[in-house]
Amino acid sequence: DQQVKQNSPSLSVQEGRISILNCDYTNSMFDYFLWYKKYPAEGPTFLISISSIKDKNEDGRFTVFLNKSAKHLSLHIVPSQPGDSAVYFCAASVSGGGADGLTFGKGTHLIIQP
Amino acid sequence: NAGVTQTPKFQVLKTGQSMTLQCAQDMNHNSMYWYRQDPGMGLRLIYYSASEGTTDKGEVPNGYNVSRLNKREFSLRLESAAPSQTSVYFCASSEELYWGYVTEAFFGQGTRLTVV
């Protein structure tokens, strides 16, 4: 059963507007969450993360929100730019559980339209 | 700064052939990982290595073996390739802040493998 879910396979947003990508998780042990961005024919690159002790983390145009009670996180991109067109993966991990990697969602393909 | 380097970038195998995917990182990370990415499936962990000399199975280990050759290198071997192993393979590494707590993983550019 999928522990990290990204229910929107694709999202189309107009340039300059806000992009909101959503992610849900089922494992209550997850306490560290990350967003990765992936362009075609490249490896994923780290974008932003948030620890479960916080509910918001900002980095420039990118903000991640965490709602622990709902087991939901979202990535906001404001304003959206053409270079933001990519596949975005939500990932989660359990700290203190050993270096057993990240659990990824299936990804959301963000398309920024001019 | 090279980061995580994977070789080869592309490979076509016949069913039953074997091959080894190579991965090296120059960030002095303890933890290394192999993932596969399939359409509509996201990234799934095949094997990981928390430190030199240790390896553990991930979500989809069947049909693969790994070797943590030293701190820098972590290889993935397909002993008898099957069409179901057609995928894009990513190697990654991460820093361990303290035991069991790893930060973000850095990925290589991937190996696109086709098994016919």
Side-chain angles (χ1 to χ4, degrees), chain A residues 2 31-32 34 36 38 41-46 49 51 89 93-107, chain B residues 31-33 35 37 40-45 48-50 90 96 98-110 112:
Chain A
Q2 259 203 304
D31 58 2
Y32 191 62
L34 308 90
Y36 280 82
K38 185 183 180 304
E42 294 185 9
T45 54
F46 170 73
S49 65
S51 166
F89 290 100
S93 69
V94 179
S95 62
D100 56 353
L102 302 168
T103 301
F104 284 85
K106 293 185 177 181
Chain B
S31 303
M32 297 186 73
Y33 315 84
Y35 288 88
Q37 184 193 10
M41 296 296 291
L43 289 97
R44 294 182 293 170
L45 183 65
Y48 66 96
S49 171
F90 290 101
E96 192 171 19
Y98 53 86
W99 189 87
Y101 189 85
V102 295
T103 60
E104 64 269 17
F106 295 83
F107 285 79
Q109 288 204 314
R112 186 173 294 275

Side-chain angles (χ1 to χ4, degrees), chain B residues 26-92:
Chain B
D26 61 3
M27 295 173 282
N28 202 38
H29 287 166
N30 281 319
S31 303
M32 297 186 73
Y33 315 84
W34 278 104
Y35 288 88
R36 60 178 286 174
Q37 184 193 10
D38 301 294
M41 296 296 291
L43 289 97
R44 294 182 293 170
L45 183 65
I46 305 171
Y47 269 93
Y48 66 96
S49 171
S51 62
E52 184 179 350
T54 67
T55 61
D56 286 283
K57 295 178 180 179
E59 180 185 355
V60 288
N62 291 344
Y64 305 96
N65 284 302
V66 290
S67 295
R68 183 72 181 269
L69 305 170
N70 47 56
K71 192 171 185 179
R72 290 186 66 247
E73 298 173 288
F74 187 36
S75 63
L76 178 72
R77 182 160 178 84
L78 287 71
E79 291 290 351
S80 179
S84 61
Q85 294 178 303
T86 293
S87 187
V88 182
Y89 292 85
F90 290 101
C91 177

